[in-house]
Amino acid sequence: MEVALGLSTIKSGSAIAISGSKSETNRLLLLQALYPNIHIQNTSNSDDSEVMEAALSSTAETIDIHHAGTAMRFLTAYFAAQEGRTVVLTGSSRMKERPIQILVEALRQLGAQIEYTENEGFPPIKITGQKITASKVALQANVSSQYISALLLIASKLENGIEISLEGPLTSIPYINMTLALLHEMGIATAFEENTIKVEPSINKEPKTLTVESDWSSASYFYSIIALSEVGTTLKLSSFKKNSLQGDSALVSIYENFGVTSTFEGDTICLTKTYNAQPTTHNLQLNNTPDIAQTIAVTCLGLGLGCHLTGLHTLKIKETDRLEALRIELTKLGADVAVTDDTLILKATRTIHPNVNIETYNDHRMAMAFAPLALKAPIIIEDAEVVSKSYPNFWTDLKAIGFHISESH
């Protein structure tokens, strides 16, 4: 499906209800599989969460998780500790290019039995579930936080819990803290001191209902929309917490640079465009919030601002190489942009070429990050259905707030 967005203006005062966080949902679904007394409310309606839920309830010998990177990492750890169960985890062609070796080696340190069925270091993998009694494991701290969270999520069900030693500078700490906070909410004892994380064993849990906060990554596109709107424009988003577990809640402070003020009213945030940002180059370190890098780069282009974004090394192993994809698509629009393995540098420009076709590279965030530019110039998003990976209602919600959208198949 191709989506053409005409030059648009949003209806000030609109309200959007965003579904539960994919990150929180997938963590809680795994914990629910380990502790069936847990009940979860406001779960994400994303493809990734549906894939995760289906995989956890599957009795098949081969489980295909398609493009769902979080599911691949979390399920690798989950099945490694399912004594007596043998499973082959596979996925899309892109998933077979996304590394899993660091997590596999960490699990092997604990005594897990995992083999590669095609290419060394990459899915598919054959997992023969074991009773894991070893508890100490070391891995590099600058790897994807999902590797670390995968170990933490199964830790309380291991006979001796887990003690993870992280070597080197830490990255994506908010996602590790999110996992630990959810464990804490369930009454599981944890500790995170300097570069060591400990989780104590915990056999059974009393019945408990946990509510998933709405997804801040999904909220980022509306922050971009308000930033690109006229001064005085407002938009309400629900349901969010002022003291969020999600790293992407840093949007509140980051988008103040772009003239957007966030006001919390209960579980609703009111976004207001309060001023026009002065032409300058914004230097932002995003190692704790890499998923909003695409949104920020597009916002800066739309506002005629420059940006120097760093801490982006994990973007190269996402659904696509997001840095290279950004460079290609921003350049089509008239941007002067350069990337390295870790950074993106965008020079300020007032030029945005209209009616450019944006390729999405099977990456939901490419589709959604570029859509707000329709407030500045008409734009076409290819393979627009890819948004279902994290936000199936995205195009419907944009129409509801005033975007001019036509679809063709």
Side-chain angles (χ1 to χ4, degrees):
M1 178 181 79
E2 184 178 276
V3 162
L5 295 100
L7 186 62
S8 302
T9 304
I10 76 160
K11 301 170 190 169
S12 185
S14 298
I16 295 289
I18 293 176
S19 89
S21 156
K22 178 166 67 85
S23 299
E24 283 189 35
T25 297
N26 285 1
R27 284 161 172 77
L28 288 172
L29 286 172
L30 190 148
L31 290 168
Q32 185 182 52
L34 296 174
Y35 299 100
N37 279 346
I38 295 179
H39 300 282
I40 314 171
Q41 295 179 337
N42 194 38
T43 54
S44 169
N45 62 354
S46 64
D47 286 355
D48 279 17
S49 292
E50 289 181 0
V51 163
M52 184 80 180
E53 192 166 16
L56 287 165
S57 61
S58 174
T59 57
E61 293 180 3
T62 298
I63 295 176
D64 186 347
I65 54 76
H66 310 292
H67 299 301
T70 310
M72 175 59 75
R73 278 78 177 262
F74 291 179
L75 293 169
T76 296
Y78 174 78
F79 286 117
Q82 295 297 301
E83 190 177 1
R85 176 92 188 267
T86 299
V87 167
V88 173
L89 276 185
T90 189
S92 64
S93 56
R94 174 59 182 168
M95 186 58 62
K96 292 180 181 183
E97 297 171 350
R98 296 179 70 178
I100 194 80
Q101 186 163 11
I102 291 168
L103 176 58
V104 169
E105 290 304 319
L107 287 163
R108 284 174 173 172
Q109 283 183 53
L110 293 170
Q113 187 177 329
I114 304 173
E115 306 161 47
Y116 300 107
T117 64
E118 291 181 16
N119 295 317
E120 188 77 11
F122 300 88
I125 50 177
K126 181 181 179 182
I127 306 167
T128 305
Q130 306 289 312
K131 181 180 182 180
I132 293 176
T133 56
S135 62
K136 295 193 175 182
V137 62
L139 70 165
Q140 289 297 311
N142 65 346
V143 299
S144 168
S145 64
Q146 289 178 12
Y147 299 147
I148 300 164
S149 286
L151 298 172
L152 296 175
L153 287 167
I154 65 165
S156 65
K157 277 291 191 175
L158 305 184
E159 189 168 290
N160 297 304
I162 208 166
E163 181 178 316
I164 303 175
S165 298
L166 299 173
E167 300 170 347
L170 296 169
T171 189
S172 296
I173 294 173
Y175 287 101
I176 297 170
N177 285 336
M178 175 196 290
T179 304
L180 293 172
L182 292 172
L183 294 175
H184 179 74
E185 208 171 329
M186 286 182 52
I188 294 166
T190 69
F192 188 0
E193 296 173 3
E194 294 182 347
N195 277 41
T196 302
I197 310 176
K198 295 180 182 178
V199 179
E200 299 297 329
S202 182
I203 304 305
N204 294 307
K205 289 287 154 212
E206 295 299 314
K208 194 175 186 75
T209 298
L210 300 175
T211 301
V212 178
E213 182 186 14
S214 292
D215 189 59
W216 278 94
S217 304
S218 296
S220 72
Y221 312 113
F222 297 98
Y223 271 86
S224 186
I225 285 165
I226 291 298
L228 297 177
S229 294
E230 297 296 320
V231 170
T233 306
T234 65
L235 178 67
K236 290 187 175 182
L237 304 177
S238 58
S239 307
F240 291 92
K241 300 172 186 173
K242 193 168 187 177
N243 299 312
S244 175
L245 300 178
Q246 298 172 51
D248 287 348
S249 61
L251 286 162
V252 172
S253 57
I254 289 171
Y255 268 77
E256 286 175 357
N257 297 307
F258 308 132
V260 180
T261 299
S262 305
T263 307
F264 286 84
E265 302 166 357
D267 70 349
T268 298
I269 323 171
C270 183
L271 308 184
T272 305
K273 178 67 177 286
T274 51
Y275 69 92
N276 290 315
Q278 293 302 305
T280 186
T281 295
H282 290 273
N283 296 297
L284 294 168
Q285 165 58 258
L286 299 177
N287 63 323
N288 285 335
T289 54
D291 280 346
I292 57 176
Q294 291 147 292
T295 312
I296 291 168
V298 172
T299 300
C300 287
L301 175 67
L303 291 174
L305 305 175
C307 63
H308 185 176
L309 310 180
T310 56
L312 307 181
H313 58 281
T314 59
L315 294 189
K316 297 191 75 64
I317 58 166
K318 296 286 188 177
E319 284 76 354
T320 185
D321 178 341
R322 285 180 173 165
L323 286 171
E324 183 60 15
L326 269 174
R327 186 191 66 76
I328 293 168
E329 302 310 310
L330 288 168
T331 301
K332 285 185 192 174
L333 288 158
D336 183 345
V337 60
V339 300
T340 69
D341 285 349
D342 182 59
T343 64
L344 180 144
I345 301 167
L346 174 73
K347 292 185 179 177
T349 178
R350 287 291 175 187
T351 303
I352 300 175
H353 297 154
N355 298 306
V356 168
N357 280 55
I358 299 297
E359 191 176 337
T360 50
Y361 305 85
N362 287 319
D363 184 354
H364 53 133
R365 300 207 187 284
M366 287 296 289
M368 294 185 285
F370 279 87
L373 277 183
L375 298 173
K376 299 294 181 181
I379 192 169
I380 297 137
I381 308 293
E382 298 177 357
D383 298 319
E385 68 278 5
V386 74
V387 300
S388 67
K389 186 175 196 298
S390 65
Y391 191 168
N393 297 335
F394 181 70
W395 302 116
T396 303
D397 285 350
L398 286 200
K399 283 182 183 176
I401 65 173
F403 275 70
H404 303 302
I405 297 177
S406 57
E407 300 171 5
S408 58
H409 294 269

